[in-house]
Amino acid sequence: MKKSHIIAIGMIAIAIGLLISLNGEIDNYSSFSEAELTGDKVTVSGHLSKDKTMNYDPAVDPNYFSFFIKDKSGDERKVVLLAAKPQDFEKSEEIVLTGKMQNGEFIASDMLMKCPSKYKDEEVYIKSKA
Amino acid sequence: MEYIGEHLLPGQIGRFAIVLSFVASLLAVVAYYFATQRRNTEEYTSWRKIGRAGFILHGICVFWIIGTIFYIMTNQFYEYQYVQAHVSEDLDFKYIFSSFWEGQEGSFLLWMFWHVVLGFILIKTAKKWEAPVVAVVASVQVFCGSMILGLYPPFLEDFRIGVNPLLLLRETMDIPLFAQADYVSLIKGKGLNPLLQNYWMTIHPPTLFLGFASTVVPFAYAVAGLWTKEHKAWLKPALPWALFSGAILGLGILMGGAWAYEALSFGGYWAWDPVENMSLVPWIILIAGIHSNLVARSTGYSIRTAYLFYMLTFVLIVYSTFLTRSGLLGETSVHAFVEMGLEAQLTMFLFFYLIGSLFLFFKNYKNIPAPKKEEATGSKEFWIFIGSLVLFFSAILITWSTSLPVFNKIRQVFDPGFEGHVITDPVSHYNKYQLWIGIFVGLLSGVSQYLRFREFNWKSHAPRFTKRVLVSTGIAVALTVLCVQWIDAKAWQYQLLLFCGLFTVITNLDVLFFYTKMNLKAAGASFAHIGFGLMIVGILASGLNKEFISTNSFAQRGLIEGFTEEQYKKNVLLLKDTPLFMSGYEVTYTDDTIVKFNRTYEVNYKKRDKSGKVIEEFNLYPNILYDKSFTKVAASNPSTKRYLNKDIFTHISSLPQAEMDIEFAKAQEDSLKYKAYSSFVGDTVFMKDYFVVLESVDRSPSHPEYQPQEKDLAIGLKLHFQSTKKDFSYDAMPMVVVRDNVLFGFAEEVSELEAKVRLTGETITRLLGDDTKLDFNTFTLKKGQSINYNGNKVLFAGFNPKVNHPDYEAKEGDIAVSALLTVTGKAGDAHQIEPVYLIRGNQPYNLKSEVGPLGLQFRFAGINPADETIKLMVAEKSKTAMQLPFEIAGDVARTDFIVLEAILFPGINFFWLGSLLMLGGMALSMLYRRREKLQTIAHEGAEEAIA
């Protein structure tokens, strides 16, 4: 057997090993109740509850933003993002959060917003008659 | 219906050009196919001629389509859907290119444009490779062209091939507006996304797409090699193209990183975002391909891997296109994705080239020459091969993780309830694996520089090799120890990576200057590898030492119970003109200015030594962009102070809600509870925490938001606010303006006291109101005489020719004089006033004066020159009616602050310098190889001539 074959086979073995170990870092999209149960860092996807209050008062703390999210199973929880409130937050349709449950609140370390695409709105911008 | 104002002709010709370009590319494929198949027959030339004609016609059509779109865009023909979606009246002309490739159709056209340009160059230069190579390029154009066809095949319902960029708006939707014949005059454009109104959007896409497009050339050469079974000959012409592609694609990716870092608020140049990953992966494979190509050319080994890597590069480019344009990545990427219903076509595009490549490769696998004897362990080709495998390995890992959404989607087809997997912490996930790739690549690109191709006498070379490697290792270890003092690399893995980066820098410097003695052929490679090493140092320095300096744990109040994790504390609140200490800097938000939709903030940084002397000072200007209606913040652009050894990056992460959202500001203003006050000039009004002195009335007031116009009637009150709790005072000047019978108020906020003060119509009425209803008594007085009016004594002290009255503005030809009056009230308080009498244009006028506290008004109504008497009119009013009204609201939310994020990136310039050096090295190699190729051609030509 050639050396290069041995090395190639070795690398394939490592690759398979790594890809299997990858499973440890991959999670299902979780829900708030699961996160509460395990206490682990998880990713939850859900929708903003627009009827509930959002709280961001930079004069009190510029790193505290709270709001309510309803996850895919319909469970609604208060979410705290320890960062500034992102622009256009209200417009977001779907929100993907990464973080942990603590004391009944979901503390998010990372947040990704899906905003409605500008291509989707079929509204024609009509000139305003001044 | 006959529509008015539509411009249909450019669209009709353009649509024809789209179809023609598609047909012509098909023709080129077919003709070049036959030219290749019959390359050794007489038919070759005629087939090639047809192929050329087809491709050139295709190219002209593509240019025509692009020209048409630019034409309708620059003329703002909003009846076209693409124009309406990407252009607007207020768009700067310099962004017209950005608008063109903002949409998917435009970016496909940009990609096609580069394919055409490259195809033309190949027709001119590829000689005998022209037929198979341009055939492949043209076949790619067939797929790209189908994306903009916009045809509905008659036999399939609801299935559309491509999206036509020249559709009319009324063809894309059905709304009542189109019932109006003059609808064109009623619509306006949506314009370019403000986030993209940036010069990076002008230069990044064309560079990246040239990079994407250029990968088709090495791919085409590889296919041509397999097709014509000339497994060795294609390697030489493919190499400079591959180097070109590597340099440009690398530059395109780097520009994306620079854009993210410099202009967007991502807070870094690389985020392992799926879109970034999927442009990096083909580049990595291409680099592996270039290395295999080099080995194959020098030794005859690795021809198979060169084939595989070049073909894979292009297939991955298509895969990347598929991922980013199919909307699959929506939940994992910050980039915006658009579903255009092209998924089926993109899948076909991908599978055609994937399966085609694999088929060609394995069909010819046995015929591809490979030396019987295996590479010697001490040979350069062996270790370069290993290095290529490491790169390949890296690409597989990144692709696998990035493709999770694809796997999810596939599984959801069989298991609809499946919610999907996700990587919880992508950045650390990718870093963890790619760290080892960096270590191996660093080591290999150092060590292999001292090895020789086709090593046949390792024993004699070994001592020299060992000596150089040992010396380089020594220097690199010493440098690593030094660097660790600076870079916060605690984990041994990071230290090892740092060592490998430095090792490759040292060895390649050695190779460049001493080993090959500045041999041009090797210089490009050395530069590229030195660049790679520096890049690693830069990544480690800026990544590990990256520090959020916008924290002040003393000034910032704690969060909810139990959360003191400092890493979350990334933002500070800066009150205007109030310095805040953060991480050694004294930071002050000093000013902000609005130009068009752009609001730029000035943030001053100062560093002082122990004695308080300023040793470092600079201003940063982060800005925000409002949307067109000025109601929302559309984008926040950072500003960075660059030093040689570090960057200080700042951006506005938040603003007072009222500054970001006009609706909110209105609601907030409406919720304020104003209380009415009134006072005489010079009197004081006391509040809970402060008092207000009405200092004066200003007839030509100024206010930051007030722009004076002729015929404006403006009144301002100068109010002095003085806190009773702290050492704070402020002079406010609220004002009201009557313009064309409409009243405008300009309030002023006293943020420190959480107060807002405004004037009302009352103030104007009070000061300029009608007083004809008053009951005036007329007196005649001589100088020195006095009268008694309702218990007040009025003394006429004399005339004053120098008129000094707040309402009086001198005009030429005026004859004006004022009467000096001393009014003494019942309580013995004396007041000096000067009512004015003037003759302007033969008309007598008078200007009244008042003694507010006594409730008296005076008019100087006439002079009798004969007996030197004056006519004085006096009236009494209630005192409160003579006070000046104003309104003050308390508990006003502050709007004079910004929330700032500031990050220190040390050593980031190593990253930029390293990556540019790497790409420059590739470019140098490319030029060298090209020259070599041209020389060979000239040489062959000369030989032919002699023969």
Side-chain angles (χ1 to χ4, degrees), chain B residues 106 125 166 187 216 220 339 392 427 581 814:
Chain B
T125 61
L166 290 171
I187 48 180
V216 81
E339 289 166 51
F392 181 52
V427 173
F581 285 92
D814 275 1

Side-chain angles (χ1 to χ4, degrees), chain B residues 209-224:
Chain B
F209 273 100
L210 176 57
F212 278 5
S214 60
T215 60
V216 81
V217 187
F219 169 74
Y221 271 105
V223 171

